[in-house]
Amino acid sequence: MPADLSAIDKAKFVAALRAVDHVESGMKLGLGTGSTAAWMVRCLAERIRDEGLRVVGVPTSIRTAELAQSLGVPITTLDEAGWLDLTIDGADEFDPELNLIKGGGAALLREKIVATASDQMIVIADAAKQVAQLGAFPLPVEVIPFGWKATQAQIEEMLVSMDVLARDVRLRRAGDDPVLTDQSNYILDLHLRRIGNPRQLSLVLNQIPGVVENGLFIDICDKVVIGHGDGRVQVRDVNSSEIEEEYVEFKPTDNIFADLDE
């Protein structure tokens, strides 16, 4: 990997490197989307190259598919794979019960479909993503473009009866234009500051016409691998109160990470 990385990138790298240790030959994998997941795809590609690891991946976005293909990671579709052994993905937030907010990269729909079609989901994250209660990160909600303002109004009305601290709903834009997902939908970001009952909110959101899916991942994540800038890695399992901790050594090498120096 590159020698000159920021502390946050080192944290993402060691988390990705540790998570990829869970991958075994013959597995069908869900490949997440986002900056941390990109580290995972690179670590996976290195194992394929150096160890002859035999896997096939189902990407959760077009950009993950393009990265995987460029690095020699075999990919397929979820329909072809049928069912997955493991999904490795990032998260925007996770709480003590390993509930997540995802969708900062606008791939939440595919990410949730892939994660729930897997025997296990491992989340990789830097320590800043750990929160006592979800909601500081805006909650993404994917909606169809037709009548999106009416959908937004119904979401705002529904939030009045929810246990949240704020109720600011905004259309995500790239400049003047709405951000489009890979399904050509829009994203509404719900700035709630605190979500008192994530399970209830998730269920109610998905009952609103026009809502395709929301970024609350409840009872989906099995394990979180938390990276730190000093190379320390903590592993938390949803079924255990114990936290594993170790240090991951990494050295500068001339390999598939070299382009990250550019």
Side-chain angles (χ1 to χ4, degrees):
M1 60 165 287
D4 186 20
L5 282 182
S6 67
I8 189 69
D9 279 334
K10 287 179 182 176
K12 292 177 180 181
F13 170 72
V14 295
L17 191 64
R18 179 65 181 84
V20 168
D21 285 344
H22 291 80
V23 178
E24 300 175 1
S25 271
M27 278 189 168
K28 293 180 286 186
L29 305 171
L31 306 178
T33 294
S35 60
T36 311
W39 283 105
M40 176 271 298
V41 175
R42 291 177 180 274
C43 291
L44 182 63
E46 191 169 49
R47 286 196 61 192
I48 291 171
R49 185 196 65 184
D50 296 347
E51 303 173 23
L53 188 71
R54 295 178 295 102
V55 296
V56 63
V58 173
T60 54
S61 66
I62 293 172
R63 59 187 179 277
T64 295
E66 291 173 345
L67 177 62
Q69 288 179 308
S70 72
L71 296 173
V73 177
I75 63 173
T76 187
T77 66
L78 184 57
D79 289 335
E80 288 293 326
W83 192 262
L84 306 179
D85 299 290
L86 171 65
T87 287
I88 305 177
D89 203 347
D92 299 302
E93 283 186 347
F94 66 92
D95 70 11
E97 286 73 45
L98 304 193
N99 295 315
L100 320 171
I101 286 182
K102 290 180 52 56
L108 63 102
L109 176 58
R110 290 193 186 185
E111 288 173 332
K112 189 174 283 190
I113 291 172
V114 168
T116 55
S118 304
D119 287 335
Q120 185 180 31
M121 181 191 192
I122 295 177
V123 163
I124 48 179
D126 60 88
K129 303 298 192 301
Q130 184 172 356
V131 297
Q133 194 167 32
L134 298 178
F137 190 90
L139 173 63
V141 178
E142 185 161 343
V143 302
I144 66 169
F146 177 81
W148 72 267
K149 289 185 178 180
T151 303
Q152 178 180 359
Q154 290 187 63
I155 291 174
E156 290 170 338
E157 182 179 2
M158 175 273 296
L159 287 174
V160 174
S161 62
M162 292 291 107
D163 183 8
V164 296
L165 194 59
R167 294 184 289 272
D168 183 11
V169 181
R170 307 176 196 173
L171 178 68
R172 189 182 301 182
R173 296 183 181 273
D176 294 330
D177 299 320
V179 168
L180 290 179
T181 69
D182 286 349
Q183 285 69 43
S184 298
N185 292 320
Y186 291 172
I187 295 285
L188 294 176
D189 287 317
L190 281 53
H191 297 255
L192 308 175
R193 295 172 59 189
R194 178 186 58 78
I195 300 173
N197 191 333
R199 187 183 307 276
Q200 179 191 39
L201 179 59
S202 178
L203 290 172
V204 175
L205 273 169
N206 283 7
Q207 294 176 3
I208 295 175
V211 170
V212 180
E213 189 52 82
N214 70 82
L216 286 166
F217 283 52
I218 311 297
D219 298 334
I220 296 175
C221 174
D222 298 284
K223 189 175 293 187
V224 173
V225 181
I226 308 163
H228 299 262
D230 60 359
R232 184 164 44 96
V233 172
Q234 296 172 311
V235 181
R236 293 186 51 197
D237 192 300
V238 71
N239 296 313
S240 173
S241 59
E242 296 183 2
I243 300 176
E244 300 176 20
E245 185 167 303
E246 63 185 83
Y247 280 86
V248 176
E249 292 188 10
F250 47 86
K251 299 177 182 179
T253 57
D254 183 17
N255 57 19
I256 56 175
F257 299 96
D259 64 302
L260 295 178
D261 281 327
E262 297 175 358

